[in-house]
Amino acid sequence: MSDDHLIEHRVSQQELLHGHFLHAFRDTVRLPNQALATREYVVHPGAVMVIPMLDTPEGMRLVLERQYRYPVGQVMIEFPAGKLDAGEDPWWCAQRELFEETGYSARQWARAGVLHPVIAYSTEVIEIWFAKDLSLGERQLDAEEFLDVFTATPAQLMAWCRDGQVTDAKTLTGALWLQNTLSGQWPLTWQSLP
């Protein structure tokens, strides 16, 4: 089946902002019915999110973060994540972000999939990675980065998602992946670091 009856085509483009991190545009597009409309959106370099699973004597725990997010004005519970540097391999970015933010390194990795967190106004795509067989080192936060690292059980995370304590889209998507992976519904293909 063709999607031609849904696709919009750019007629013109205006750059609104070219910042250090974000690049914003306003495009005029031709709709499928030939009318013109305006679309404003942000070009994003892409990112990764890591679901770190820590084996403890009491059972598996998840490594999570609490970080203040200025645009929403509150401290959020999140899985470790970060943006891709230009030309960076997403798996390398996942390893780098996990270590920098939490101090953990993982010997086992599995790529789960991707998510588009804000499709109405951003090109952002986030690759979802699982990490296990963790070992702790000393984290290396960026100079402007302040966050707490803590662990929780999968059941605790699911309760926080249900109760509205976790509202971050990527972490909610990660919880869905985690739930289906742990139940055996969505198997992962693990790879070991050399």
Side-chain angles (χ1 to χ4, degrees):
M1 179 196 278
S2 171
D3 288 334
D4 289 345
H5 65 289
L6 302 173
I7 296 174
E8 302 172 356
H9 297 278
R10 182 170 58 213
V11 174
S12 65
Q13 183 175 74
Q14 176 188 6
E15 182 181 69
L16 301 176
L17 168 76
H18 193 164
H20 174 72
F21 174 51
L22 299 176
H23 200 174
F25 293 91
R26 178 183 297 129
D27 289 1
T28 300
V29 299
R30 185 168 311 284
L31 301 173
N33 68 359
Q34 302 307 305
L36 297 178
T38 301
R39 301 289 183 248
E40 293 180 350
Y41 62 97
V42 174
V43 174
H44 187 283
V48 299
M49 175 185 66
V50 182
I51 301 170
M53 301 186 305
L54 180 64
D55 289 324
T56 71
E58 297 80 31
M60 193 255 289
R61 295 185 69 85
L62 305 166
V63 178
L64 295 161
E65 300 173 351
R66 293 179 68 252
Q67 185 172 9
Y68 180 78
R69 293 300 191 169
Y70 183 81
V72 295
Q74 65 187 58
V75 173
M76 306 293 282
I77 296 172
E78 306 174 50
F79 281 119
K83 75 173 187 64
L84 293 165
D85 291 335
E88 186 176 29
D89 177 86
W91 188 24
W92 168 245
C93 182
Q95 294 171 57
R96 177 179 56 77
E97 288 292 341
L98 178 64
F99 182 73
E100 287 177 0
E101 292 185 357
T102 70
Y104 283 101
S105 298
R107 289 193 261 302
Q108 301 274 335
W109 290 86
R111 183 182 179 275
V114 300
L115 73 111
H116 293 89
V118 285
I119 58 175
Y121 61 86
S122 176
T123 64
E124 183 177 9
V125 61
I126 300 174
E127 284 206 12
I128 304 164
W129 288 85
F130 278 75
K132 65 181 183 179
D133 198 2
L134 303 180
S135 57
L136 185 59
E138 188 170 334
R139 66 185 183 162
Q140 299 174 358
L141 294 174
D142 294 336
E144 297 176 354
E145 200 168 30
F146 301 89
L147 55 89
D148 292 335
V149 177
F150 70 103
T151 65
T153 66
Q156 287 171 313
L157 175 63
M158 295 307 169
W160 296 335
C161 292
R162 179 196 65 221
D163 297 341
Q165 290 176 270
V166 172
T167 59
D168 169 56
K170 70 184 179 306
T171 302
L172 289 168
T173 301
L176 174 70
W177 268 96
L178 178 69
Q179 184 177 47
N180 283 285
T181 297
L182 293 177
S183 74
Q185 296 296 309
W186 295 359
L188 297 172
T189 302
W190 291 92
Q191 50 191 321
S192 297
L193 284 177

